[in-house]
Amino acid sequence: CVRFAASTPKHADSAYQAPGAHAWDVMATGVYNGGYRKPPNYSAFERNFMGWLDYVVLEEDSLVKALPPLGTNNFAYYVNVNENEWYVFENRQQVKWDSGLPNHGMLVWHIEYNASAWLKDTLNDNPKHQHVDIIEAGNLRVNTQLGGYMSQGGGPKQADDPFPGSQNVTELSPVLAWD
C-alpha cells in the first residue's frame, strides 16, 4: 500500500542521480540486460506515447492498494503536476521480457517535457535536472553513466530503485515539480 499526495513545491532532492533510466528501459542501457538476451518491456510512458496504454489518473491524496504488473496488464497510474510535467507509476516484475531487470516493484517515473531538450536529445544531460528520471525508493544512487551500466544485473544501486526497495519505503509524498 503506497500513498501519493500531489503537490508542487520546489524540487528538493540534493543527492542527484544521473542519468535516467539505465537497465529499466530498453531505450537506455536495458538493451544489455541478460547478456543482450533480455531487454526490458517498454515503459508505461513509452507505451502511452505510442498510444498503446491509457493512464489511470490519480487525484490529490490518492491511496493505492494494488498496481497490476505492467508486463501482463498494460496498466499504469499518472499524476499531473503541471502542463509539461507528470509522474508515471508502474509495477515491474522480473518475468518474461522483464526477467533481466535489476529488481522488481513499483517504478516512479518523473517526466518533464521541454521541447528544446527533447529536440536536441539532451533529456538527461544535466544530472541536476533530468527530464526522464526514476525516483528511487532507497538512498543508493547511481551518480554516473558508468555507475548505472556497471550495476546491471541486480547491482546494489539499481536494486534499490523500485518501491518499496531495500528500505521498505511505502510512501511518496509530496509529488514534486521542478519549478
Side-chain angles (χ1 to χ4, degrees), residues 24-26 40-56 67-71 73-78 86-92 98 106-109 111 132:
W24 302 103
D25 196 316
V26 69
N41 280 308
Y42 287 111
S43 70
F45 167 67
E46 292 160 339
R47 292 173 186 216
N48 176 265
F49 183 83
M50 297 299 294
W52 302 338
L53 178 144
D54 291 323
Y55 297 125
V56 174
L67 178 59
L70 180 66
N73 289 284
N74 207 36
F75 183 93
Y77 288 110
Y78 165 94
W86 61 94
Y87 283 78
V88 177
F89 304 89
E90 64 185 28
N91 178 355
R92 300 293 287 273
D98 279 347
M106 183 182 70
L107 287 181
V108 179
W109 296 82
I111 312 291
V132 178

Side-chain angles (χ1 to χ4, degrees), residues 23-166:
W24 302 103
D25 196 316
V26 69
M27 303 302 285
T29 59
V31 71
Y32 305 116
N33 290 359
Y36 298 87
R37 294 183 309 275
K38 298 177 183 176
N41 280 308
Y42 287 111
S43 70
F45 167 67
E46 292 160 339
R47 292 173 186 216
N48 176 265
F49 183 83
M50 297 299 294
W52 302 338
L53 178 144
D54 291 323
Y55 297 125
V56 174
V57 177
L58 290 175
E59 302 299 330
E60 285 214 22
D61 296 326
S62 296
L63 179 64
V64 175
K65 292 188 178 188
L67 178 59
L70 180 66
T72 57
N73 289 284
N74 207 36
F75 183 93
Y77 288 110
Y78 165 94
V79 171
N80 187 41
V81 180
N82 60 47
E83 183 180 351
N84 292 314
E85 192 169 3
W86 61 94
Y87 283 78
V88 177
F89 304 89
E90 64 185 28
N91 178 355
R92 300 293 287 273
Q93 298 298 312
Q94 294 170 307
V95 296
K96 298 184 180 180
W97 283 107
D98 279 347
S99 64
L101 292 176
N103 203 352
H104 61 91
M106 183 182 70
L107 287 181
V108 179
W109 296 82
H110 184 185
I111 312 291
E112 180 191 29
Y113 177 74
N114 174 293
S116 176
W118 288 63
L119 183 63
K120 294 177 184 177
D121 193 22
T122 58
L123 299 177
N124 290 346
D125 286 4
N126 181 352
K128 296 179 182 178
H129 189 142
Q130 296 182 72
H131 298 279
V132 178
D133 188 27
I134 292 176
I135 305 303
E136 302 82 12
N139 60 10
L140 300 175
R141 307 277 187 211
V142 176
N143 295 316
T144 67
Q145 175 65 30
L146 184 59
Y149 179 75
M150 298 305 290
S151 63
Q152 294 278 17
K157 294 178 180 180
Q158 288 184 320
D160 214 26
D161 286 353
F163 286 74
S166 65

Side-chain angles (χ1 to χ4, degrees), residues 165-178:
S166 65
Q167 298 164 38
N168 199 30
V169 178
T170 60
E171 186 170 325
L172 176 62
S173 177
V175 178
L176 305 170
W178 282 109

